[in-house]
mmCIF file of all heavy atoms in Angstrom:
data_model
loop_
_atom_site.group_PDB
_atom_site.id
_atom_site.type_symbol
_atom_site.label_atom_id
_atom_site.label_comp_id
_atom_site.label_asym_id
_atom_site.label_seq_id
_atom_site.Cartn_x
_atom_site.Cartn_y
_atom_site.Cartn_z
ATOM 1 N N VAL A 1 0.832 -1.205 0.000
ATOM 2 C CA VAL A 1 0.000 0.000 0.000
ATOM 3 C C VAL A 1 0.866 1.254 0.000
ATOM 4 O O VAL A 1 0.513 2.265 -0.622
ATOM 5 C CB VAL A 1 -0.947 -0.018 1.219
ATOM 6 C CG1 VAL A 1 -1.705 1.297 1.343
ATOM 7 C CG2 VAL A 1 -1.928 -1.173 1.121
ATOM 8 N N GLY A 2 2.013 1.185 0.675
ATOM 9 C CA GLY A 2 2.893 2.335 0.729
ATOM 10 C C GLY A 2 3.467 2.733 -0.605
ATOM 11 O O GLY A 2 3.932 3.871 -0.762
ATOM 12 N N TRP A 3 3.438 1.842 -1.580
ATOM 13 C CA TRP A 3 3.944 2.172 -2.916
ATOM 14 C C TRP A 3 2.829 2.594 -3.865
ATOM 15 O O TRP A 3 3.079 2.836 -5.047
ATOM 16 C CB TRP A 3 4.717 0.998 -3.501
ATOM 17 C CG TRP A 3 6.098 0.873 -2.926
ATOM 18 C CD1 TRP A 3 6.529 0.009 -1.982
ATOM 19 C CD2 TRP A 3 7.229 1.676 -3.268
ATOM 20 N NE1 TRP A 3 7.848 0.206 -1.691
ATOM 21 C CE2 TRP A 3 8.318 1.229 -2.482
ATOM 22 C CE3 TRP A 3 7.444 2.733 -4.153
ATOM 23 C CZ2 TRP A 3 9.572 1.806 -2.559
ATOM 24 C CZ3 TRP A 3 8.703 3.300 -4.232
ATOM 25 C CH2 TRP A 3 9.754 2.835 -3.443
ATOM 26 N N THR A 4 1.630 2.677 -3.376
ATOM 27 C CA THR A 4 0.521 3.194 -4.173
ATOM 28 C C THR A 4 0.309 4.664 -3.838
ATOM 29 O O THR A 4 0.776 5.138 -2.795
ATOM 30 C CB THR A 4 -0.768 2.408 -3.887
ATOM 31 O OG1 THR A 4 -1.169 2.649 -2.523
ATOM 32 C CG2 THR A 4 -0.555 0.912 -4.090
ATOM 33 N N PRO A 5 -0.408 5.403 -4.679
ATOM 34 C CA PRO A 5 -0.678 6.816 -4.344
ATOM 35 C C PRO A 5 -1.460 6.983 -3.052
ATOM 36 O O PRO A 5 -1.396 8.056 -2.439
ATOM 37 C CB PRO A 5 -1.497 7.301 -5.551
ATOM 38 C CG PRO A 5 -1.086 6.413 -6.678
ATOM 39 C CD PRO A 5 -0.837 5.069 -6.057
ATOM 40 N N PHE A 6 -2.170 5.934 -2.608
ATOM 41 C CA PHE A 6 -2.922 6.039 -1.362
ATOM 42 C C PHE A 6 -2.004 6.112 -0.151
ATOM 43 O O PHE A 6 -2.336 6.759 0.852
ATOM 44 C CB PHE A 6 -3.869 4.849 -1.215
ATOM 45 C CG PHE A 6 -4.986 4.843 -2.213
ATOM 46 C CD1 PHE A 6 -4.890 4.103 -3.372
ATOM 47 C CD2 PHE A 6 -6.125 5.581 -1.985
ATOM 48 C CE1 PHE A 6 -5.915 4.098 -4.296
ATOM 49 C CE2 PHE A 6 -7.167 5.588 -2.900
ATOM 50 C CZ PHE A 6 -7.058 4.840 -4.069
ATOM 51 N N GLY A 7 -0.877 5.437 -0.181
ATOM 52 C CA GLY A 7 -0.003 5.395 0.982
ATOM 53 C C GLY A 7 1.355 6.012 0.796
ATOM 54 O O GLY A 7 2.090 6.197 1.770
ATOM 55 N N ALA A 8 1.741 6.344 -0.444
ATOM 56 C CA ALA A 8 3.085 6.849 -0.713
ATOM 57 C C ALA A 8 3.418 8.128 0.048
ATOM 58 O O ALA A 8 4.500 8.226 0.655
ATOM 59 C CB ALA A 8 3.262 7.053 -2.223
ATOM 60 N N PRO A 9 2.556 9.155 0.055
ATOM 61 C CA PRO A 9 2.969 10.398 0.739
ATOM 62 C C PRO A 9 3.122 10.239 2.242
ATOM 63 O O PRO A 9 3.921 10.945 2.863
ATOM 64 C CB PRO A 9 1.825 11.370 0.402
ATOM 65 C CG PRO A 9 0.656 10.498 0.117
ATOM 66 C CD PRO A 9 1.226 9.275 -0.532
ATOM 67 N N TRP A 10 2.393 9.318 2.827
ATOM 68 C CA TRP A 10 2.404 9.189 4.284
ATOM 69 C C TRP A 10 3.549 8.320 4.798
ATOM 70 O O TRP A 10 3.918 8.414 5.972
ATOM 71 C CB TRP A 10 1.090 8.599 4.763
ATOM 72 C CG TRP A 10 -0.095 9.092 4.000
ATOM 73 C CD1 TRP A 10 -0.818 8.402 3.064
ATOM 74 C CD2 TRP A 10 -0.699 10.388 4.081
ATOM 75 N NE1 TRP A 10 -1.831 9.180 2.570
ATOM 76 C CE2 TRP A 10 -1.785 10.413 3.179
ATOM 77 C CE3 TRP A 10 -0.432 11.531 4.834
ATOM 78 C CZ2 TRP A 10 -2.596 11.527 2.998
ATOM 79 C CZ3 TRP A 10 -1.241 12.651 4.661
ATOM 80 C CH2 TRP A 10 -2.303 12.639 3.759
ATOM 81 N N THR A 11 4.113 7.472 3.951
ATOM 82 C CA THR A 11 5.162 6.546 4.390
ATOM 83 C C THR A 11 6.563 6.967 3.965
ATOM 84 O O THR A 11 7.529 6.282 4.312
ATOM 85 C CB THR A 11 4.877 5.143 3.817
ATOM 86 O OG1 THR A 11 4.815 5.204 2.386
ATOM 87 C CG2 THR A 11 3.563 4.602 4.343
ATOM 88 N N ALA A 12 6.692 8.078 3.216
ATOM 89 C CA ALA A 12 8.017 8.490 2.746
ATOM 90 C C ALA A 12 8.953 8.797 3.912
ATOM 91 O O ALA A 12 10.115 8.349 3.940
ATOM 92 C CB ALA A 12 7.886 9.704 1.823
ATOM 93 N N GLY A 13 8.485 9.549 4.897
ATOM 94 C CA GLY A 13 9.332 9.879 6.032
ATOM 95 C C GLY A 13 9.671 8.666 6.880
ATOM 96 O O GLY A 13 10.790 8.567 7.409
ATOM 97 N N ILE A 14 8.742 7.711 7.004
ATOM 98 C CA ILE A 14 9.016 6.491 7.770
ATOM 99 C C ILE A 14 10.098 5.660 7.079
ATOM 100 O O ILE A 14 10.980 5.074 7.732
ATOM 101 C CB ILE A 14 7.727 5.672 7.940
ATOM 102 C CG1 ILE A 14 6.630 6.527 8.592
ATOM 103 C CG2 ILE A 14 7.988 4.423 8.762
ATOM 104 C CD1 ILE A 14 6.963 7.036 9.955
ATOM 105 N N ASP A 15 10.043 5.597 5.742
ATOM 106 C CA ASP A 15 11.074 4.854 5.003
ATOM 107 C C ASP A 15 12.453 5.446 5.236
ATOM 108 O O ASP A 15 13.437 4.710 5.447
ATOM 109 C CB ASP A 15 10.747 4.860 3.507
ATOM 110 C CG ASP A 15 9.656 3.879 3.157
ATOM 111 O OD1 ASP A 15 9.550 2.838 3.832
ATOM 112 O OD2 ASP A 15 8.876 4.143 2.216
ATOM 113 N N LEU A 16 12.559 6.762 5.193
ATOM 114 C CA LEU A 16 13.854 7.397 5.438
ATOM 115 C C LEU A 16 14.323 7.126 6.866
ATOM 116 O O LEU A 16 15.514 6.854 7.099
ATOM 117 C CB LEU A 16 13.746 8.895 5.183
ATOM 118 C CG LEU A 16 15.031 9.704 5.361
ATOM 119 C CD1 LEU A 16 16.108 9.226 4.389
ATOM 120 C CD2 LEU A 16 14.770 11.199 5.163
ATOM 121 N N ALA A 17 13.403 7.171 7.829
ATOM 122 C CA ALA A 17 13.779 6.931 9.218
ATOM 123 C C ALA A 17 14.240 5.504 9.446
ATOM 124 O O ALA A 17 15.106 5.253 10.304
ATOM 125 C CB ALA A 17 12.589 7.251 10.135
ATOM 126 N N GLN A 18 13.716 4.548 8.683
ATOM 127 C CA GLN A 18 14.083 3.140 8.847
ATOM 128 C C GLN A 18 15.207 2.710 7.908
ATOM 129 O O GLN A 18 15.463 1.513 7.773
ATOM 130 C CB GLN A 18 12.848 2.269 8.628
ATOM 131 C CG GLN A 18 11.777 2.465 9.699
ATOM 132 C CD GLN A 18 10.558 1.582 9.495
ATOM 133 O OE1 GLN A 18 10.392 0.980 8.428
ATOM 134 N NE2 GLN A 18 9.714 1.475 10.523
ATOM 135 N N GLY A 19 15.884 3.666 7.273
ATOM 136 C CA GLY A 19 17.066 3.355 6.481
ATOM 137 C C GLY A 19 16.832 3.137 5.003
ATOM 138 O O GLY A 19 17.808 2.912 4.263
ATOM 139 N N ARG A 20 15.607 3.213 4.520
ATOM 140 C CA ARG A 20 15.325 3.052 3.087
ATOM 141 C C ARG A 20 15.332 4.430 2.436
ATOM 142 O O ARG A 20 14.300 4.969 2.025
ATOM 143 C CB ARG A 20 13.991 2.337 2.889
ATOM 144 C CG ARG A 20 13.983 0.902 3.417
ATOM 145 C CD ARG A 20 12.644 0.232 3.169
ATOM 146 N NE ARG A 20 11.586 0.820 3.972
ATOM 147 C CZ ARG A 20 11.286 0.461 5.210
ATOM 148 N NH1 ARG A 20 11.999 -0.514 5.822
ATOM 149 N NH2 ARG A 20 10.300 1.052 5.874
ATOM 150 N N VAL A 21 16.552 4.975 2.338
ATOM 151 C CA VAL A 21 16.699 6.352 1.848
ATOM 152 C C VAL A 21 16.236 6.467 0.403
ATOM 153 O O VAL A 21 15.614 7.458 0.008
ATOM 154 C CB VAL A 21 18.166 6.808 2.001
ATOM 155 C CG1 VAL A 21 18.350 8.223 1.503
ATOM 156 C CG2 VAL A 21 18.611 6.699 3.457
ATOM 157 N N TRP A 22 16.509 5.484 -0.420
ATOM 158 C CA TRP A 22 16.165 5.535 -1.838
ATOM 159 C C TRP A 22 14.642 5.557 -2.067
ATOM 160 O O TRP A 22 14.169 6.043 -3.102
ATOM 161 C CB TRP A 22 16.743 4.313 -2.552
ATOM 162 C CG TRP A 22 16.292 2.999 -1.944
ATOM 163 C CD1 TRP A 22 16.857 2.337 -0.909
ATOM 164 C CD2 TRP A 22 15.140 2.244 -2.327
ATOM 165 N NE1 TRP A 22 16.158 1.205 -0.611
ATOM 166 C CE2 TRP A 22 15.091 1.117 -1.468
ATOM 167 C CE3 TRP A 22 14.156 2.392 -3.293
ATOM 168 C CZ2 TRP A 22 14.090 0.153 -1.568
ATOM 169 C CZ3 TRP A 22 13.163 1.444 -3.391
ATOM 170 C CH2 TRP A 22 13.132 0.330 -2.537
ATOM 171 N N ALA A 23 13.866 5.023 -1.105
ATOM 172 C CA ALA A 23 12.419 4.927 -1.298
ATOM 173 C C ALA A 23 11.715 6.266 -1.097
ATOM 174 O O ALA A 23 10.666 6.514 -1.721
ATOM 175 C CB ALA A 23 11.831 3.892 -0.345
ATOM 176 N N ALA A 24 12.266 7.131 -0.244
ATOM 177 C CA ALA A 24 11.577 8.385 0.077
ATOM 178 C C ALA A 24 11.365 9.277 -1.141
ATOM 179 O O ALA A 24 10.233 9.707 -1.406
ATOM 180 C CB ALA A 24 12.347 9.124 1.178
ATOM 181 N N PRO A 25 12.431 9.594 -1.932
ATOM 182 C CA PRO A 25 12.178 10.466 -3.089
ATOM 183 C C PRO A 25 11.263 9.825 -4.128
ATOM 184 O O PRO A 25 10.486 10.526 -4.782
ATOM 185 C CB PRO A 25 13.580 10.712 -3.656
ATOM 186 C CG PRO A 25 14.422 9.602 -3.126
ATOM 187 C CD PRO A 25 13.852 9.263 -1.804
ATOM 188 N N LEU A 26 11.334 8.501 -4.284
ATOM 189 C CA LEU A 26 10.454 7.836 -5.251
ATOM 190 C C LEU A 26 8.985 7.972 -4.845
ATOM 191 O O LEU A 26 8.114 8.208 -5.688
ATOM 192 C CB LEU A 26 10.840 6.367 -5.386
ATOM 193 C CG LEU A 26 12.170 6.066 -6.082
ATOM 194 C CD1 LEU A 26 12.429 4.564 -6.117
ATOM 195 C CD2 LEU A 26 12.164 6.632 -7.491
ATOM 196 N N LYS A 27 8.693 7.824 -3.564
ATOM 197 C CA LYS A 27 7.311 7.944 -3.104
ATOM 198 C C LYS A 27 6.814 9.383 -3.223
ATOM 199 O O LYS A 27 5.640 9.612 -3.567
ATOM 200 C CB LYS A 27 7.195 7.451 -1.667
ATOM 201 C CG LYS A 27 7.370 5.946 -1.531
ATOM 202 C CD LYS A 27 7.057 5.447 -0.148
ATOM 203 C CE LYS A 27 7.109 3.924 -0.089
ATOM 204 N NZ LYS A 27 6.741 3.382 1.233
ATOM 205 N N LEU A 28 7.665 10.354 -2.932
ATOM 206 C CA LEU A 28 7.253 11.738 -3.127
ATOM 207 C C LEU A 28 7.007 12.028 -4.600
ATOM 208 O O LEU A 28 6.073 12.772 -4.951
ATOM 209 C CB LEU A 28 8.321 12.685 -2.570
ATOM 210 C CG LEU A 28 8.555 12.631 -1.055
ATOM 211 C CD1 LEU A 28 9.645 13.625 -0.658
ATOM 212 C CD2 LEU A 28 7.265 12.921 -0.297
ATOM 213 N N LEU A 29 7.814 11.415 -5.469
ATOM 214 C CA LEU A 29 7.619 11.599 -6.910
ATOM 215 C C LEU A 29 6.304 10.967 -7.359
ATOM 216 O O LEU A 29 5.572 11.539 -8.176
ATOM 217 C CB LEU A 29 8.796 10.988 -7.672
ATOM 218 C CG LEU A 29 8.730 11.084 -9.207
ATOM 219 C CD1 LEU A 29 8.708 12.552 -9.636
ATOM 220 C CD2 LEU A 29 9.910 10.348 -9.839
ATOM 221 N N ILE A 30 6.002 9.779 -6.828
ATOM 222 C CA ILE A 30 4.720 9.133 -7.160
ATOM 223 C C ILE A 30 3.549 10.020 -6.767
ATOM 224 O O ILE A 30 2.582 10.193 -7.522
ATOM 225 C CB ILE A 30 4.634 7.759 -6.461
ATOM 226 C CG1 ILE A 30 5.621 6.773 -7.072
ATOM 227 C CG2 ILE A 30 3.213 7.204 -6.536
ATOM 228 C CD1 ILE A 30 5.704 5.458 -6.335
ATOM 229 N N THR A 31 3.637 10.613 -5.594
ATOM 230 C CA THR A 31 2.553 11.483 -5.128
ATOM 231 C C THR A 31 2.421 12.717 -6.004
ATOM 232 O O THR A 31 1.307 13.112 -6.391
ATOM 233 C CB THR A 31 2.801 11.898 -3.675
ATOM 234 O OG1 THR A 31 3.008 10.734 -2.866
ATOM 235 C CG2 THR A 31 1.631 12.685 -3.134
ATOM 236 N N ALA A 32 3.552 13.347 -6.322
ATOM 237 C CA ALA A 32 3.499 14.562 -7.141
ATOM 238 C C ALA A 32 2.932 14.275 -8.526
ATOM 239 O O ALA A 32 2.111 15.040 -9.055
ATOM 240 C CB ALA A 32 4.899 15.168 -7.252
ATOM 241 N N VAL A 33 3.368 13.164 -9.129
ATOM 242 C CA VAL A 33 2.844 12.798 -10.456
ATOM 243 C C VAL A 33 1.351 12.519 -10.396
ATOM 244 O O VAL A 33 0.580 12.901 -11.290
ATOM 245 C CB VAL A 33 3.609 11.578 -11.005
ATOM 246 C CG1 VAL A 33 2.952 11.037 -12.269
ATOM 247 C CG2 VAL A 33 5.063 11.946 -11.287
ATOM 248 N N THR A 34 0.896 11.877 -9.325
ATOM 249 C CA THR A 34 -0.533 11.599 -9.172
ATOM 250 C C THR A 34 -1.333 12.888 -9.045
ATOM 251 O O THR A 34 -2.417 13.022 -9.638
ATOM 252 C CB THR A 34 -0.768 10.713 -7.941
ATOM 253 O OG1 THR A 34 0.005 9.515 -8.054
ATOM 254 C CG2 THR A 34 -2.231 10.345 -7.819
ATOM 255 N N ILE A 35 -0.809 13.846 -8.291
ATOM 256 C CA ILE A 35 -1.504 15.127 -8.147
ATOM 257 C C ILE A 35 -1.612 15.836 -9.489
ATOM 258 O O ILE A 35 -2.683 16.367 -9.859
ATOM 259 C CB ILE A 35 -0.782 16.010 -7.113
ATOM 260 C CG1 ILE A 35 -0.874 15.379 -5.717
ATOM 261 C CG2 ILE A 35 -1.379 17.418 -7.089
ATOM 262 C CD1 ILE A 35 -0.062 16.114 -4.664
ATOM 263 N N VAL A 36 -0.515 15.846 -10.230
ATOM 264 C CA VAL A 36 -0.532 16.483 -11.557
ATOM 265 C C VAL A 36 -1.525 15.786 -12.479
ATOM 266 O O VAL A 36 -2.282 16.431 -13.223
ATOM 267 C CB VAL A 36 0.883 16.480 -12.161
ATOM 268 C CG1 VAL A 36 0.842 16.980 -13.608
ATOM 269 C CG2 VAL A 36 1.818 17.354 -11.338
ATOM 270 N N ALA A 37 -1.545 14.449 -12.431
ATOM 271 C CA ALA A 37 -2.486 13.707 -13.273
ATOM 272 C C ALA A 37 -3.935 13.997 -12.886
ATOM 273 O O ALA A 37 -4.805 14.150 -13.757
ATOM 274 C CB ALA A 37 -2.197 12.208 -13.177
ATOM 275 N N LEU A 38 -4.203 14.092 -11.580
ATOM 276 C CA LEU A 38 -5.559 14.406 -11.137
ATOM 277 C C LEU A 38 -5.972 15.809 -11.556
ATOM 278 O O LEU A 38 -7.120 16.029 -11.991
ATOM 279 C CB LEU A 38 -5.652 14.261 -9.620
ATOM 280 C CG LEU A 38 -5.621 12.828 -9.069
ATOM 281 C CD1 LEU A 38 -5.517 12.851 -7.554
ATOM 282 C CD2 LEU A 38 -6.862 12.052 -9.496
ATOM 283 N N LEU A 39 -5.062 16.768 -11.452
ATOM 284 C CA LEU A 39 -5.389 18.127 -11.873
ATOM 285 C C LEU A 39 -5.603 18.199 -13.381
ATOM 286 O O LEU A 39 -6.469 18.949 -13.860
ATOM 287 C CB LEU A 39 -4.278 19.089 -11.441
ATOM 288 C CG LEU A 39 -4.130 19.306 -9.932
ATOM 289 C CD1 LEU A 39 -2.983 20.264 -9.639
ATOM 290 C CD2 LEU A 39 -5.416 19.847 -9.329
ATOM 291 N N ALA A 40 -4.818 17.425 -14.128
ATOM 292 C CA ALA A 40 -5.028 17.379 -15.580
ATOM 293 C C ALA A 40 -6.382 16.758 -15.914
ATOM 294 O O ALA A 40 -7.095 17.224 -16.815
ATOM 295 C CB ALA A 40 -3.901 16.590 -16.236
ATOM 296 N N TRP A 41 -6.742 15.707 -15.191
ATOM 297 C CA TRP A 41 -8.061 15.086 -15.389
ATOM 298 C C TRP A 41 -9.169 16.077 -15.036
ATOM 299 O O TRP A 41 -10.177 16.198 -15.754
ATOM 300 C CB TRP A 41 -8.147 13.836 -14.520
ATOM 301 C CG TRP A 41 -9.433 13.079 -14.660
ATOM 302 C CD1 TRP A 41 -10.256 13.032 -15.749
ATOM 303 C CD2 TRP A 41 -10.040 12.263 -13.652
ATOM 304 N NE1 TRP A 41 -11.342 12.236 -15.488
ATOM 305 C CE2 TRP A 41 -11.239 11.755 -14.213
ATOM 306 C CE3 TRP A 41 -9.685 11.910 -12.353
ATOM 307 C CZ2 TRP A 41 -12.087 10.908 -13.496
ATOM 308 C CZ3 TRP A 41 -10.525 11.060 -11.645
ATOM 309 C CH2 TRP A 41 -11.705 10.574 -12.219
ATOM 310 N N TRP A 42 -8.978 16.773 -13.933
ATOM 311 C CA TRP A 42 -9.947 17.791 -13.534
ATOM 312 C C TRP A 42 -10.060 18.875 -14.605
ATOM 313 O O TRP A 42 -11.154 19.340 -14.936
ATOM 314 C CB TRP A 42 -9.518 18.380 -12.195
ATOM 315 C CG TRP A 42 -10.505 19.340 -11.605
ATOM 316 C CD1 TRP A 42 -11.817 19.512 -11.962
ATOM 317 C CD2 TRP A 42 -10.258 20.257 -10.539
ATOM 318 N NE1 TRP A 42 -12.403 20.468 -11.186
ATOM 319 C CE2 TRP A 42 -11.472 20.947 -10.300
ATOM 320 C CE3 TRP A 42 -9.152 20.551 -9.761
ATOM 321 C CZ2 TRP A 42 -11.593 21.926 -9.319
ATOM 322 C CZ3 TRP A 42 -9.265 21.508 -8.771
ATOM 323 C CH2 TRP A 42 -10.465 22.188 -8.555
ATOM 324 N N SER A 43 -8.927 19.280 -15.159
ATOM 325 C CA SER A 43 -8.941 20.314 -16.187
ATOM 326 C C SER A 43 -9.729 19.876 -17.416
ATOM 327 O O SER A 43 -10.473 20.660 -18.011
ATOM 328 C CB SER A 43 -7.496 20.660 -16.584
ATOM 329 O OG SER A 43 -7.473 21.593 -17.633
ATOM 330 N N ARG A 44 -9.583 18.616 -17.794
ATOM 331 C CA ARG A 44 -10.304 18.123 -18.976
ATOM 332 C C ARG A 44 -11.800 18.012 -18.727
ATOM 333 O O ARG A 44 -12.610 18.224 -19.632
ATOM 334 C CB ARG A 44 -9.743 16.764 -19.395
ATOM 335 C CG ARG A 44 -8.361 16.841 -20.019
ATOM 336 C CD ARG A 44 -7.887 15.467 -20.463
ATOM 337 N NE ARG A 44 -6.630 15.539 -21.182
ATOM 338 C CZ ARG A 44 -6.530 15.764 -22.488
ATOM 339 N NH1 ARG A 44 -7.634 15.933 -23.209
ATOM 340 N NH2 ARG A 44 -5.359 15.820 -23.080
ATOM 341 N N SER A 45 -12.178 17.622 -17.511
ATOM 342 C CA SER A 45 -13.594 17.444 -17.211
ATOM 343 C C SER A 45 -14.264 18.719 -16.726
ATOM 344 O O SER A 45 -15.481 18.749 -16.555
ATOM 345 C CB SER A 45 -13.759 16.360 -16.144
ATOM 346 O OG SER A 45 -13.092 16.725 -14.952
ATOM 347 N N LEU A 46 -13.473 19.773 -16.521
ATOM 348 C CA LEU A 46 -14.032 21.010 -15.981
ATOM 349 C C LEU A 46 -15.000 21.664 -16.949
ATOM 350 O O LEU A 46 -15.996 22.271 -16.549
ATOM 351 C CB LEU A 46 -12.899 21.982 -15.627
ATOM 352 C CG LEU A 46 -13.273 23.170 -14.745
ATOM 353 C CD1 LEU A 46 -13.828 22.695 -13.421
ATOM 354 C CD2 LEU A 46 -12.059 24.055 -14.522
#
């Protein structure tokens, strides 16, 4: 779940704290891309 957009933003800091440094930026990137995609979808349906 932490690698899906539902859990990625909330678990990024926990991953860094538990030594998975490489996972934190990837999860933040997943979240940012999802937000952009949702706004683009909103723009098309607006």
Side-chain angles (χ1 to χ4, degrees):
V1 173
W3 282 102
T4 66
F6 292 96
W10 322 106
T11 58
I14 304 299
D15 283 329
L16 182 61
Q18 294 181 347
R20 296 181 292 274
V21 180
W22 56 274
L26 290 179
K27 290 188 174 183
L28 295 180
L29 179 61
I30 291 173
T31 307
V33 171
T34 304
I35 294 174
V36 173
L38 288 172
L39 292 179
W41 182 28
W42 186 15
S43 176
R44 288 182 174 274
S45 60
L46 194 60

